[in-house]
Coordinates of all heavy atoms in Angstrom, one line a residue:
M1 N 6.0 -8.6 10.8 CA 5.8 -7.3 11.4 C 4.7 -6.5 10.5 O 4.7 -6.6 9.3 CB 7.1 -6.4 11.4 CG 6.8 -5.0 11.8 SD 8.2 -3.9 11.6 CE 8.9 -3.9 13.2
V2 N 3.9 -5.8 11.2 CA 2.8 -5.0 10.5 C 3.2 -3.6 10.7 O 3.4 -3.1 11.8 CB 1.4 -5.3 11.1 CG1 0.4 -4.4 10.5 CG2 1.0 -6.8 10.9
V3 N 3.2 -2.8 9.7 CA 3.4 -1.4 9.8 C 2.1 -0.7 9.7 O 1.3 -0.9 8.7 CB 4.3 -0.8 8.6 CG1 4.4 0.7 8.7 CG2 5.7 -1.4 8.8
T4 N 1.7 0.0 10.7 CA 0.4 0.7 10.7 C 0.6 2.2 10.5 O 1.4 2.8 11.3 CB -0.4 0.4 12.0 OG1 -0.6 -1.0 12.1 CG2 -1.7 1.1 12.0
I5 N 0.0 2.8 9.6 CA 0.1 4.2 9.3 C -1.2 4.8 9.9 O -2.3 4.5 9.4 CB 0.2 4.5 7.8 CG1 1.4 3.8 7.2 CG2 0.3 6.0 7.6 CD1 1.5 3.8 5.7
Q6 N -1.1 5.6 10.9 CA -2.3 6.2 11.5 C -2.4 7.6 11.1 O -1.4 8.3 11.0 CB -2.2 6.2 13.1 CG -2.2 4.8 13.7 CD -3.6 4.1 13.7 OE1 -4.6 4.8 13.5 NE2 -3.6 2.8 13.8
F7 N -3.6 8.1 10.8 CA -3.9 9.4 10.4 C -4.8 10.0 11.4 O -6.0 9.7 11.5 CB -4.5 9.5 9.0 CG -3.7 8.9 8.0 CD1 -3.8 7.5 7.6 CD2 -2.7 9.6 7.3 CE1 -3.0 7.0 6.7 CE2 -1.9 9.0 6.4 CZ -2.0 7.7 6.1
T8 N -4.3 10.9 12.3 CA -5.1 11.5 13.3 C -5.1 13.0 13.1 O -4.2 13.6 12.6 CB -4.5 11.2 14.7 OG1 -3.2 11.6 14.8 CG2 -4.6 9.7 15.0
G9 N -6.2 13.6 13.5 CA -6.3 15.0 13.4 C -6.6 15.5 12.0 O -6.6 16.7 11.7
V10 N -7.0 14.6 11.1 CA -7.4 14.9 9.8 C -8.9 14.8 9.7 O -9.4 13.7 9.7 CB -6.7 14.0 8.7 CG1 -7.2 14.3 7.3 CG2 -5.2 14.0 8.8
S11 N -9.5 16.0 9.6 CA -11.0 15.9 9.6 C -11.5 15.4 8.3 O -10.9 15.7 7.2 CB -11.6 17.3 9.9 OG -11.2 18.2 8.9
N12 N -12.6 14.7 8.3 CA -13.2 14.2 7.1 C -12.3 13.3 6.2 O -12.5 13.2 5.0 CB -13.8 15.3 6.2 CG -14.8 16.1 6.9 OD1 -15.6 15.6 7.7 ND2 -14.8 17.4 6.7
S13 N -11.3 12.7 6.8 CA -10.4 11.8 6.1 C -11.2 10.5 5.7 O -11.9 10.0 6.5 CB -9.2 11.4 7.0 OG -8.3 10.5 6.3
V14 N -10.9 10.1 4.5 CA -11.6 8.9 4.0 C -11.1 7.6 4.7 O -11.8 6.8 5.1 CB -11.3 8.7 2.5 CG1 -11.8 7.4 2.0 CG2 -11.9 9.9 1.7
V15 N -9.8 7.6 5.0 CA -9.1 6.4 5.6 C -8.5 6.9 6.9 O -7.7 7.9 6.9 CB -8.1 5.8 4.7 CG1 -7.4 4.7 5.4 CG2 -8.7 5.4 3.4
Q16 N -8.7 6.2 8.0 CA -8.1 6.6 9.3 C -6.9 5.7 9.6 O -6.0 6.0 10.4 CB -9.1 6.5 10.4 CG -10.2 7.5 10.3 CD -9.6 9.0 10.4 OE1 -8.7 9.2 11.2 NE2 -10.1 9.8 9.5
S17 N -6.8 4.5 9.0 CA -5.7 3.6 9.3 C -5.4 2.7 8.1 O -6.3 2.3 7.4 CB -6.1 2.7 10.5 OG -5.2 1.7 10.7
I18 N -4.1 2.6 7.8 CA -3.6 1.7 6.7 C -2.6 0.8 7.3 O -1.7 1.2 8.1 CB -3.0 2.5 5.6 CG1 -4.0 3.4 5.0 CG2 -2.4 1.6 4.6 CD1 -3.4 4.4 4.0
K19 N -2.7 -0.5 7.0 CA -1.7 -1.5 7.5 C -1.0 -2.1 6.3 O -1.7 -2.5 5.3 CB -2.4 -2.6 8.3 CG -2.9 -2.1 9.6 CD -3.6 -3.3 10.4 CE -4.2 -2.7 11.6 NZ -5.0 -3.8 12.4
L20 N 0.3 -2.2 6.3 CA 1.1 -2.8 5.2 C 1.8 -4.1 5.9 O 2.5 -3.9 6.9 CB 2.2 -1.9 4.7 CG 1.8 -0.5 4.2 CD1 3.0 0.3 3.9 CD2 0.9 -0.7 3.0
F21 N 1.5 -5.2 5.3 CA 2.1 -6.4 5.9 C 2.2 -7.5 4.9 O 1.5 -7.5 3.8 CB 1.3 -6.9 7.1 CG -0.1 -7.3 6.9 CD1 -0.5 -8.6 6.5 CD2 -1.1 -6.3 6.9 CE1 -1.8 -8.9 6.3 CE2 -2.4 -6.6 6.7 CZ -2.8 -7.9 6.3
P22 N 3.1 -8.5 5.0 CA 4.1 -8.6 6.0 C 5.2 -7.5 5.7 O 5.3 -7.1 4.5 CB 4.7 -10.0 5.9 CG 4.4 -10.4 4.5 CD 3.1 -9.7 4.1
N23 N 5.9 -7.1 6.7 CA 6.9 -6.1 6.5 C 8.1 -6.4 7.4 O 8.0 -6.3 8.6 CB 6.4 -4.7 6.7 CG 7.3 -3.6 6.2 OD1 8.3 -3.9 5.6 ND2 6.9 -2.4 6.4
P24 N 9.2 -7.0 6.9 CA 9.5 -7.1 5.4 C 8.7 -8.2 4.7 O 8.2 -9.1 5.3 CB 11.0 -7.5 5.4 CG 11.3 -8.0 6.8 CD 10.3 -7.5 7.7
A25 N 8.6 -8.0 3.4 CA 7.9 -8.9 2.5 C 8.8 -9.5 1.5 O 9.8 -9.0 1.2 CB 6.8 -8.1 1.8
D26 N 8.3 -10.6 0.9 CA 9.1 -11.2 -0.2 C 8.3 -11.7 -1.4 O 8.8 -11.6 -2.5 CB 9.9 -12.4 0.3 CG 9.1 -13.6 0.8 OD1 7.9 -13.4 1.0 OD2 9.7 -14.6 1.0
Q27 N 7.1 -12.1 -1.3 CA 6.2 -12.5 -2.4 C 5.1 -11.6 -2.7 O 4.8 -11.2 -3.8 CB 5.7 -13.9 -2.2 CG 6.8 -15.0 -2.1 CD 7.6 -15.1 -3.4 OE1 7.0 -15.2 -4.5 NE2 8.9 -15.2 -3.4
F28 N 4.3 -11.3 -1.7 CA 3.1 -10.5 -1.8 C 3.1 -9.4 -0.6 O 3.6 -9.7 0.4 CB 1.8 -11.3 -1.7 CG 1.6 -12.1 -2.9 CD1 2.1 -13.4 -3.0 CD2 0.9 -11.6 -4.0 CE1 1.9 -14.2 -4.1 CE2 0.7 -12.4 -5.1 CZ 1.2 -13.7 -5.2
L29 N 2.5 -8.3 -0.9 CA 2.3 -7.3 0.1 C 0.8 -7.1 0.2 O 0.1 -6.9 -0.8 CB 3.0 -5.9 -0.4 CG 2.7 -4.7 0.5 CD1 3.4 -4.9 1.9 CD2 3.3 -3.5 -0.1
I30 N 0.3 -7.1 1.4 CA -1.1 -6.9 1.7 C -1.2 -5.5 2.2 O -0.5 -5.1 3.1 CB -1.6 -7.9 2.7 CG1 -1.4 -9.3 2.3 CG2 -3.1 -7.6 3.0 CD1 -2.1 -9.8 1.1
V31 N -2.2 -4.7 1.7 CA -2.5 -3.4 2.1 C -3.9 -3.4 2.6 O -4.8 -3.7 1.9 CB -2.3 -2.3 1.0 CG1 -2.6 -0.9 1.5 CG2 -0.9 -2.4 0.4
E32 N -4.1 -3.2 3.9 CA -5.4 -3.2 4.5 C -5.8 -1.8 4.9 O -5.1 -1.1 5.6 CB -5.3 -4.1 5.8 CG -6.7 -4.4 6.4 CD -6.6 -5.4 7.5 OE1 -6.6 -6.6 7.2 OE2 -6.5 -5.0 8.7
L33 N -7.0 -1.4 4.5 CA -7.5 -0.1 4.8 C -8.8 -0.3 5.6 O -9.6 -1.2 5.3 CB -7.8 0.7 3.5 CG -6.6 1.1 2.7 CD1 -6.4 0.0 1.6 CD2 -6.8 2.4 2.1
D34 N -9.1 0.6 6.5 CA -10.2 0.5 7.4 C -11.5 0.9 6.7 O -12.6 0.5 7.2 CB -10.0 1.2 8.7 CG -10.0 2.7 8.5 OD1 -9.8 3.2 7.4 OD2 -10.2 3.5 9.5
N35 N -11.5 1.6 5.6 CA -12.8 2.1 5.0 C -12.7 2.0 3.5 O -13.0 3.0 2.8 CB -13.0 3.5 5.5 CG -14.4 4.0 5.3 OD1 -15.3 3.2 5.0 ND2 -14.6 5.3 5.3
L36 N -12.3 0.9 2.9 CA -12.1 0.8 1.5 C -13.4 0.5 0.7 O -13.5 0.9 -0.4 CB -11.1 -0.3 1.2 CG -10.8 -0.6 -0.3 CD1 -10.2 0.6 -1.0 CD2 -9.8 -1.8 -0.4
S37 N -14.3 -0.2 1.3 CA -15.4 -0.7 0.6 C -16.1 0.4 -0.3 O -16.5 1.4 0.2 CB -16.4 -1.2 1.6 OG -17.5 -1.8 0.9
G38 N -16.3 0.1 -1.6 CA -17.0 0.9 -2.5 C -16.2 2.1 -3.0 O -16.7 3.0 -3.7
R39 N -14.9 2.2 -2.6 CA -14.1 3.3 -3.0 C -13.0 2.9 -4.1 O -12.5 1.8 -4.1 CB -13.3 3.9 -1.8 CG -14.3 4.4 -0.8 CD -13.5 5.3 0.2 NE -14.4 5.6 1.3 CZ -15.2 6.6 1.3 NH1 -15.4 7.4 0.3 NH2 -16.0 6.9 2.4
E40 N -12.8 3.8 -5.0 CA -11.7 3.6 -6.0 C -10.4 3.9 -5.3 O -10.2 4.9 -4.7 CB -11.9 4.4 -7.2 CG -10.9 4.2 -8.3 CD -11.1 5.0 -9.5 OE1 -12.1 4.7 -10.2 OE2 -10.4 5.9 -9.8
I41 N -9.4 3.0 -5.5 CA -8.1 3.3 -4.9 C -7.0 3.1 -6.0 O -7.1 2.2 -6.8 CB -7.8 2.3 -3.7 CG1 -6.5 2.6 -3.1 CG2 -7.9 0.9 -4.1 CD1 -6.2 1.9 -1.8
I42 N -6.1 3.9 -6.0 CA -4.9 3.8 -6.9 C -3.7 3.5 -6.0 O -3.5 4.2 -5.0 CB -4.7 5.1 -7.7 CG1 -5.9 5.4 -8.6 CG2 -3.4 5.1 -8.5 CD1 -5.9 6.8 -9.2
M43 N -2.9 2.5 -6.4 CA -1.8 2.1 -5.6 C -0.6 2.1 -6.5 O -0.6 1.5 -7.6 CB -2.0 0.8 -5.0 CG -0.8 0.3 -4.1 SD -1.3 -1.3 -3.4 CE 0.3 -1.7 -2.7
E44 N 0.5 2.7 -6.0 CA 1.8 2.6 -6.8 C 2.9 2.4 -5.8 O 2.8 2.8 -4.6 CB 2.0 4.0 -7.5 CG 0.9 4.3 -8.4 CD 0.9 5.8 -8.9 OE1 1.3 6.7 -8.1 OE2 0.6 6.0 -10.0
I45 N 4.0 1.7 -6.3 CA 5.1 1.5 -5.4 C 6.4 2.0 -6.2 O 6.5 1.8 -7.4 CB 5.3 0.0 -5.1 CG1 4.1 -0.6 -4.4 CG2 6.6 -0.3 -4.3 CD1 4.1 -2.0 -4.1
F46 N 7.2 2.7 -5.4 CA 8.4 3.4 -6.0 C 9.6 2.9 -5.3 O 9.6 2.6 -4.0 CB 8.3 4.9 -5.8 CG 7.1 5.5 -6.5 CD1 5.9 5.6 -5.9 CD2 7.2 6.1 -7.8 CE1 4.8 6.1 -6.5 CE2 6.1 6.6 -8.4 CZ 4.9 6.7 -7.8
D47 N 10.8 2.9 -6.0 CA 12.0 2.6 -5.3 C 12.5 3.9 -4.7 O 11.8 5.0 -4.9 CB 13.1 2.0 -6.2 CG 13.5 2.9 -7.4 OD1 13.3 4.1 -7.3 OD2 14.1 2.4 -8.3
L48 N 13.6 3.9 -4.0 CA 14.1 5.1 -3.3 C 14.6 6.2 -4.2 O 14.9 7.3 -3.8 CB 15.1 4.8 -2.2 CG 14.4 4.0 -1.0 CD1 15.5 3.7 0.1 CD2 13.3 4.8 -0.4
N49 N 14.8 5.8 -5.5 CA 15.2 6.8 -6.5 C 14.0 7.5 -7.1 O 14.2 8.3 -8.0 CB 16.1 6.1 -7.6 CG 17.4 5.6 -7.0 OD1 18.0 6.3 -6.2 ND2 17.8 4.5 -7.4
G50 N 12.8 7.1 -6.7 CA 11.6 7.7 -7.3 C 11.1 7.0 -8.5 O 10.1 7.5 -9.1
K51 N 11.7 5.9 -8.9 CA 11.2 5.2 -10.1 C 10.0 4.3 -9.7 O 10.1 3.6 -8.8 CB 12.3 4.3 -10.7 CG 11.9 3.5 -11.9 CD 13.0 2.6 -12.3 CE 12.5 1.7 -13.4 NZ 13.5 0.7 -13.8
Q52 N 8.9 4.4 -10.5 CA 7.7 3.6 -10.2 C 8.1 2.2 -10.6 O 8.4 1.9 -11.8 CB 6.5 4.1 -11.0 CG 5.3 3.4 -10.7 CD 4.1 3.9 -11.5 OE1 4.2 4.4 -12.6 NE2 2.9 3.8 -10.8
V53 N 7.9 1.2 -9.7 CA 8.2 -0.2 -10.0 C 7.0 -1.1 -10.0 O 7.0 -2.2 -10.6 CB 9.3 -0.7 -9.0 CG1 10.6 0.0 -9.1 CG2 8.8 -0.6 -7.5
I54 N 5.9 -0.6 -9.4 CA 4.6 -1.3 -9.5 C 3.5 -0.3 -9.8 O 3.5 0.8 -9.2 CB 4.2 -2.0 -8.2 CG1 5.3 -3.1 -7.8 CG2 2.8 -2.6 -8.2 CD1 5.1 -4.4 -8.5
S55 N 2.7 -0.6 -10.8 CA 1.7 0.4 -11.2 C 0.3 0.0 -10.6 O 0.2 -1.1 -10.1 CB 1.5 0.5 -12.7 OG 1.0 -0.7 -13.2
A56 N -0.6 0.9 -10.6 CA -1.9 0.7 -10.0 C -2.6 -0.6 -10.6 O -3.4 -1.2 -9.9 CB -2.8 1.9 -10.2
V57 N -2.4 -0.9 -11.8 CA -3.1 -2.0 -12.4 C -2.6 -3.4 -12.0 O -3.2 -4.4 -12.3 CB -3.1 -1.9 -14.0 CG1 -3.8 -0.7 -14.4 CG2 -1.7 -2.0 -14.5
E58 N -1.5 -3.4 -11.2 CA -1.0 -4.7 -10.8 C -1.4 -5.1 -9.4 O -0.7 -5.9 -8.8 CB 0.6 -4.7 -11.0 CG 1.0 -4.5 -12.4 CD 2.5 -4.3 -12.5 OE1 3.2 -5.4 -12.5 OE2 3.0 -3.2 -12.6
K59 N -2.5 -4.6 -9.0 CA -3.0 -5.0 -7.6 C -4.2 -5.9 -7.8 O -4.9 -5.9 -8.8 CB -3.4 -3.7 -6.8 CG -4.6 -3.0 -7.4 CD -4.8 -1.8 -6.6 CE -6.1 -1.0 -7.0 NZ -6.3 -0.8 -8.4
Q60 N -4.6 -6.6 -6.7 CA -5.7 -7.4 -6.7 C -6.5 -7.2 -5.4 O -5.9 -7.2 -4.3 CB -5.3 -8.9 -6.8 CG -6.5 -9.8 -6.7 CD -6.0 -11.3 -6.7 OE1 -4.9 -11.6 -6.7 NE2 -7.0 -12.2 -6.7
I61 N -7.8 -6.9 -5.5 CA -8.6 -6.7 -4.3 C -8.9 -8.0 -3.8 O -9.5 -8.9 -4.5 CB -9.9 -5.9 -4.6 CG1 -9.5 -4.5 -5.1 CG2 -10.8 -5.8 -3.4 CD1 -10.6 -3.6 -5.6
I62 N -8.6 -8.3 -2.5 CA -8.8 -9.6 -2.0 C -10.1 -9.7 -1.0 O -10.6 -10.7 -0.8 CB -7.6 -10.2 -1.2 CG1 -7.1 -9.3 -0.1 CG2 -6.5 -10.5 -2.2 CD1 -6.0 -9.8 0.7
N63 N -10.5 -8.5 -0.5 CA -11.8 -8.4 0.2 C -12.1 -6.9 0.2 O -11.5 -6.1 -0.4 CB -11.7 -9.1 1.5 CG -10.8 -8.4 2.5 OD1 -10.7 -7.2 2.6 ND2 -10.1 -9.2 3.3
D64 N -13.2 -6.6 1.0 CA -13.7 -5.2 1.0 C -12.6 -4.3 1.6 O -12.8 -3.1 1.4 CB -14.9 -5.1 1.9 CG -16.1 -5.7 1.1 OD1 -16.0 -5.9 -0.1 OD2 -17.2 -6.0 1.7
N65 N -11.7 -4.7 2.4 CA -10.7 -3.9 3.1 C -9.3 -4.1 2.8 O -8.4 -3.6 3.5 CB -10.9 -3.9 4.6 CG -12.3 -3.4 5.0 OD1 -12.7 -2.4 4.5 ND2 -13.0 -4.1 5.9
A66 N -9.0 -5.0 1.8 CA -7.5 -5.3 1.6 C -7.2 -5.5 0.1 O -8.0 -5.9 -0.7 CB -7.2 -6.6 2.3
L67 N -6.0 -5.1 -0.2 CA -5.4 -5.3 -1.6 C -4.2 -6.2 -1.4 O -3.4 -6.1 -0.5 CB -5.0 -4.0 -2.2 CG -6.0 -2.9 -2.2 CD1 -5.3 -1.6 -2.6 CD2 -7.1 -3.2 -3.2
S68 N -3.9 -7.0 -2.4 CA -2.7 -7.9 -2.5 C -1.9 -7.5 -3.7 O -2.5 -7.3 -4.8 CB -3.1 -9.3 -2.6 OG -2.0 -10.1 -2.8
V69 N -0.6 -7.3 -3.5 CA 0.2 -6.9 -4.6 C 1.4 -7.9 -4.8 O 2.1 -8.2 -3.8 CB 0.8 -5.5 -4.4 CG1 1.7 -5.1 -5.6 CG2 -0.3 -4.5 -4.2
D70 N 1.6 -8.4 -6.0 CA 2.7 -9.3 -6.2 C 4.0 -8.5 -6.3 O 4.1 -7.7 -7.2 CB 2.4 -10.1 -7.5 CG 3.5 -11.1 -7.9 OD1 4.5 -11.2 -7.2 OD2 3.3 -11.9 -8.8
I71 N 4.9 -8.8 -5.4 CA 6.2 -8.0 -5.4 C 7.3 -9.0 -5.6 O 8.5 -8.6 -5.4 CB 6.4 -7.3 -4.1 CG1 6.3 -8.2 -2.9 CG2 5.4 -6.1 -4.0 CD1 6.7 -7.7 -1.6
S72 N 7.1 -10.2 -6.1 CA 8.1 -11.2 -6.2 C 9.2 -10.9 -7.2 O 10.3 -11.4 -7.1 CB 7.5 -12.6 -6.6 OG 6.8 -12.5 -7.8
D73 N 8.9 -10.0 -8.2 CA 9.9 -9.6 -9.2 C 10.8 -8.4 -8.7 O 11.7 -8.0 -9.4 CB 9.2 -9.2 -10.5 CG 8.6 -10.4 -11.2 OD1 9.1 -11.5 -10.9 OD2 7.7 -10.2 -12.0
L74 N 10.5 -7.8 -7.6 CA 11.3 -6.7 -7.1 C 12.5 -7.1 -6.4 O 12.5 -8.1 -5.7 CB 10.4 -5.8 -6.1 CG 9.2 -5.2 -6.7 CD1 8.5 -4.3 -5.7 CD2 9.6 -4.3 -7.9
P75 N 13.6 -6.4 -6.5 CA 14.8 -6.7 -5.8 C 14.7 -6.4 -4.3 O 13.8 -5.6 -3.9 CB 15.9 -5.8 -6.5 CG 15.1 -4.6 -6.9 CD 13.8 -5.2 -7.4
A76 N 15.6 -6.8 -3.5 CA 15.6 -6.5 -2.1 C 15.8 -5.0 -1.9 O 16.5 -4.4 -2.7 CB 16.7 -7.3 -1.3
G77 N 15.2 -4.4 -0.9 CA 15.4 -3.0 -0.6 C 14.2 -2.4 0.0 O 13.2 -3.0 0.4
I78 N 14.3 -1.1 0.2 CA 13.2 -0.3 0.8 C 12.4 0.4 -0.3 O 13.0 0.9 -1.3 CB 13.8 0.8 1.7 CG1 14.7 0.2 2.8 CG2 12.6 1.6 2.4 CD1 14.0 -0.5 3.9
F79 N 11.1 0.3 -0.2 CA 10.2 0.9 -1.3 C 9.2 1.8 -0.6 O 8.8 1.6 0.6 CB 9.5 -0.2 -2.1 CG 10.5 -1.0 -2.9 CD1 11.2 -2.1 -2.3 CD2 10.8 -0.7 -4.2 CE1 12.1 -2.8 -3.1 CE2 11.7 -1.4 -4.9 CZ 12.4 -2.4 -4.4
V80 N 8.7 2.7 -1.4 CA 7.6 3.7 -0.9 C 6.3 3.2 -1.6 O 6.2 3.0 -2.8 CB 8.0 5.1 -1.3 CG1 6.8 6.0 -0.9 CG2 9.3 5.5 -0.7
V81 N 5.3 3.1 -0.7 CA 3.9 2.7 -1.2 C 3.1 3.9 -1.2 O 3.0 4.6 -0.1 CB 3.3 1.6 -0.3 CG1 1.9 1.3 -0.7 CG2 4.2 0.4 -0.3
K82 N 2.5 4.3 -2.3 CA 1.6 5.5 -2.4 C 0.2 5.0 -2.7 O 0.0 4.2 -3.7 CB 2.1 6.4 -3.5 CG 1.3 7.6 -3.8 CD 1.9 8.4 -4.9 CE 1.1 9.6 -5.3 NZ 1.6 10.3 -6.5
L83 N -0.7 5.4 -1.9 CA -2.1 5.1 -2.1 C -2.9 6.4 -2.3 O -2.8 7.3 -1.5 CB -2.7 4.4 -0.8 CG -2.0 3.0 -0.5 CD1 -2.4 2.6 0.9 CD2 -2.4 2.0 -1.5
I84 N -3.7 6.4 -3.3 CA -4.6 7.5 -3.6 C -6.0 7.1 -3.5 O -6.5 6.2 -4.2 CB -4.3 8.1 -5.0 CG1 -2.9 8.5 -5.2 CG2 -5.3 9.3 -5.3 CD1 -2.4 8.8 -6.6
V85 N -6.7 7.6 -2.5 CA -8.1 7.3 -2.2 C -8.9 8.6 -2.4 O -8.8 9.5 -1.6 CB -8.3 6.7 -0.8 CG1 -9.8 6.3 -0.6 CG2 -7.4 5.5 -0.6
G86 N -9.6 8.7 -3.5 CA -10.3 10.0 -3.8 C -9.3 11.1 -4.0 O -8.4 10.9 -4.8
A87 N -9.4 12.2 -3.3 CA -8.5 13.3 -3.4 C -7.3 13.2 -2.3 O -6.5 14.1 -2.3 CB -9.2 14.6 -3.2
E88 N -7.3 12.1 -1.5 CA -6.3 12.0 -0.5 C -5.2 11.1 -0.9 O -5.4 10.1 -1.6 CB -7.0 11.5 0.8 CG -8.0 12.5 1.3 CD -8.7 12.0 2.6 OE1 -8.3 10.9 3.2 OE2 -9.7 12.6 3.0
V89 N -4.0 11.4 -0.5 CA -2.8 10.6 -0.8 C -2.2 10.1 0.5 O -2.0 10.9 1.5 CB -1.8 11.4 -1.6 CG1 -0.5 10.6 -1.8 CG2 -2.4 11.9 -2.9
Y90 N -1.8 8.9 0.6 CA -1.2 8.2 1.8 C 0.1 7.6 1.3 O 0.1 7.0 0.3 CB -2.1 7.2 2.4 CG -3.5 7.7 2.7 CD1 -4.5 7.6 1.9 CD2 -3.7 8.4 3.9 CE1 -5.8 8.1 2.1 CE2 -5.0 8.9 4.2 CZ -6.0 8.7 3.3 OH -7.3 9.3 3.6
V91 N 1.1 7.7 2.1 CA 2.4 7.2 1.8 C 3.0 6.4 2.9 O 2.9 6.8 4.1 CB 3.4 8.3 1.4 CG1 4.8 7.8 1.1 CG2 2.9 9.1 0.2
G92 N 3.6 5.2 2.6 CA 4.2 4.4 3.7 C 5.4 3.7 3.0 O 5.7 3.8 1.8
K93 N 6.2 3.1 3.9 CA 7.4 2.3 3.4 C 7.3 0.9 3.7 O 6.7 0.5 4.7 CB 8.7 2.9 4.1 CG 9.1 4.2 3.7 CD 10.5 4.5 4.3 CE 10.5 5.9 4.8 NZ 11.8 6.2 5.5
V94 N 7.9 0.1 2.8 CA 8.0 -1.4 3.0 C 9.4 -1.9 2.6 O 10.0 -1.3 1.7 CB 6.9 -2.1 2.2 CG1 7.1 -2.0 0.7 CG2 6.7 -3.5 2.6
E95 N 9.8 -2.9 3.4 CA 11.1 -3.5 3.0 C 10.9 -4.8 2.3 O 10.0 -5.6 2.8 CB 11.9 -3.7 4.3 CG 13.3 -4.3 4.0 CD 14.1 -4.6 5.3 OE1 13.7 -4.1 6.4 OE2 15.2 -5.1 5.1
I96 N 11.6 -5.1 1.3 CA 11.5 -6.3 0.5 C 12.8 -7.0 0.6 O 13.9 -6.5 0.5 CB 11.1 -6.0 -1.0 CG1 9.7 -5.4 -1.0 CG2 11.1 -7.3 -1.8 CD1 9.3 -4.9 -2.4
F97 N 12.7 -8.4 1.0 CA 13.9 -9.1 1.1 C 14.0 -10.3 0.1 O 13.0 -10.6 -0.5 CB 14.1 -9.6 2.5 CG 13.0 -10.6 3.0 CD1 13.2 -12.0 2.8 CD2 11.9 -10.1 3.6 CE1 12.3 -12.8 3.3 CE2 10.9 -11.0 4.0 CZ 11.1 -12.4 3.9

């Protein structure tokens, strides 16, 4: 399953669409943004208690529009993915099994 986070009605938004897949995930999480090329992105993953479990430095850019994150060490559960692109913050959820 692919979770698509659409941002509509936001003028001058850097990113209009974010896809998190696979969802649920077990080894890697792919984050695809429609307008990533040439932009600095900070990515963090939190458990539902608010504890940061993946930091921004543990991501890998796999192409101009996608990031891959190793989540194999995380326990099963629901997690919050936070992406910071410039001054904008985007938040989505992913399930890990």
Side-chain angles (χ1 to χ4, degrees):
M1 171 190 263
V2 175
V3 173
T4 302
I5 304 168
Q6 295 286 343
F7 300 93
T8 57
V10 179
S11 63
N12 300 321
S13 180
V14 173
V15 177
Q16 293 299 318
S17 173
I18 298 172
K19 294 179 182 176
L20 305 174
F21 61 92
N23 196 0
D26 65 348
Q27 297 293 317
F28 289 91
L29 175 66
I30 306 295
V31 180
E32 188 175 276
L33 296 93
D34 66 343
N35 195 16
L36 176 61
S37 183
R39 301 195 186 276
E40 182 176 293
I41 182 168
I42 298 171
M43 179 178 175
E44 300 167 327
I45 300 179
F46 299 85
D47 65 17
L48 291 181
N49 293 318
K51 178 182 173 189
Q52 185 179 33
V53 294
I54 299 282
S55 68
V57 295
E58 297 176 80
K59 69 182 184 312
Q60 178 184 1
I61 296 174
I62 57 176
N63 65 40
D64 286 344
N65 294 319
L67 305 171
S68 174
V69 181
D70 182 354
I71 56 168
S72 60
D73 291 337
L74 296 181
I78 306 284
F79 293 85
V80 176
V81 177
K82 178 180 177 184
L83 299 167
I84 303 168
V85 182
E88 297 179 7
V89 177
Y90 306 95
V91 177
K93 287 189 222 176
V94 65
E95 181 179 355
I96 297 174
F97 64 93

